[in-house]
Amino acid sequence: MVELKTDTSIDAMYEAGQVVARALTAVREAADVGVSLLELDDVAREVLRAADASSPFLGYRPSFAPTAFPAVLCTSVNDAIVHGIPTRYRLRDGDLLSADFGAKLGGWVGDSAISFTVGRPRPADLRLIETAERALAAGIEAAVVGNRIGDIAHAIGTVCRAAGYGIPDGFGGHGIGRHMHEDPGVPNEGRPGRGLPLRPGMVLAIEPMLIAGGTDGYHAAPDGWTLKTNDGSRAAHAEHTVAITESGPRILTERR
């Protein structure tokens, strides 16, 4: 069932989204050669503590997971697409890092992700990240009253495929509100004019995931959480929490 949020609820979700935005900004600023992924998780935890917010990631255990997620931040490096668990791994020059973070504040959840390079960037990585951001922007632009879920999916998929990148099948965006994952699902590829109509009060986490090698295959790492590309190529992930309103899409996790 899709819950339509009131304007007051969307304003409250914006406050949760701004905790997410501050955390991702802090993580990006702290990420450098030699910094460990666990240290970045500590940075994100400090933002939660300062905001008196909690983590929807920590302790989360969906049906596919062998264990509960042990961190507040997902850190996916290089050929990891999403759901990377922070470890003692220290970032190296040229690494591509995707950071995904959520916060719960006042009973409402925000969720967002960014991808960026550490140290000297590879031009191919910059193109991949820029395309992920363009795909996200296209999906958000399609998130308007009168469109359907398929219009968002088609907008994202068109940008990704035109650039020659793969899209991991079965993973995409989702509804969000009092819980991190709510109805409806938001695929990263689809047919326009299909799927659930978009209505004022719907709030969606829109999140394209791109595989640089152009293939769609992925597999779970031994930790049971991290999804990695089958071809060993790099991946990028971009995400915002977006409210559907009469005046257009409102990005609740926008970073200032």
Side-chain angles (χ1 to χ4, degrees), residues 39-124:
E39 289 172 325
L40 295 181
D41 188 67
D42 286 340
V43 168
R45 287 174 188 258
E46 181 54 37
V47 174
L48 285 176
R49 282 193 290 269
D52 198 22
S54 61
S55 171
F57 289 15
L58 183 64
Y60 180 60
R61 187 179 182 183
S63 59
F64 69 80
T67 59
F69 197 76
V72 304
L73 181 71
C74 293
T75 51
S76 304
V77 181
N78 296 334
D79 64 337
I81 307 167
V82 287
H83 303 163
I85 296 175
T87 65
R88 292 187 177 87
Y89 175 84
R90 294 191 177 277
L91 292 167
R92 301 171 183 173
D93 189 38
D95 276 347
L96 192 167
L97 174 63
S98 296
D100 189 356
F101 182 78
K104 189 169 189 177
L105 182 69
W108 297 99
V109 179
D111 187 9
S112 184
I114 57 174
S115 293
F116 56 91
T117 57
V118 177
R120 291 169 293 182
R122 299 182 182 185

Side-chain angles (χ1 to χ4, degrees), residues 147-165:
N147 274 357
R148 293 176 177 265
I149 291 292
D151 294 300
I152 297 175
H154 178 71
I156 293 170
T158 297
V159 172
C160 297
R161 295 301 187 188
Y165 296 129

Side-chain angles (χ1 to χ4, degrees), residues 20 57 100-102 109-113 174 176 180 205 239-241 253:
V20 176
F57 289 15
D100 189 356
F101 182 78
V109 179
D111 187 9
S112 184
H174 49 88
I176 185 170
M180 180 166 58
E239 178 184 16
H240 271 309
T241 296
T253 48

Side-chain angles (χ1 to χ4, degrees), residues 134-229:
R134 281 197 295 113
L136 175 59
I140 293 171
E141 186 177 1
V144 296
V145 176
N147 274 357
R148 293 176 177 265
I149 291 292
D151 294 300
I152 297 175
H154 178 71
I156 293 170
T158 297
V159 172
C160 297
R161 295 301 187 188
Y165 296 129
I167 301 170
D169 184 47
F171 283 87
H174 49 88
I176 185 170
R178 294 195 178 276
H179 304 281
M180 180 166 58
H181 291 131
E182 298 182 354
D183 292 333
V186 187
N188 286 327
E189 193 166 32
R191 297 177 63 183
R194 300 295 181 93
L196 191 71
L198 302 180
R199 298 171 59 191
M202 292 175 66
V203 183
L204 308 173
I206 300 173
E207 50 178 323
M209 306 164 194
L210 284 65
I211 298 175
T215 62
D216 298 350
Y218 62 90
H219 62 276
D223 64 23
W225 272 99
T226 309
L227 299 184
K228 306 190 78 172
T229 63

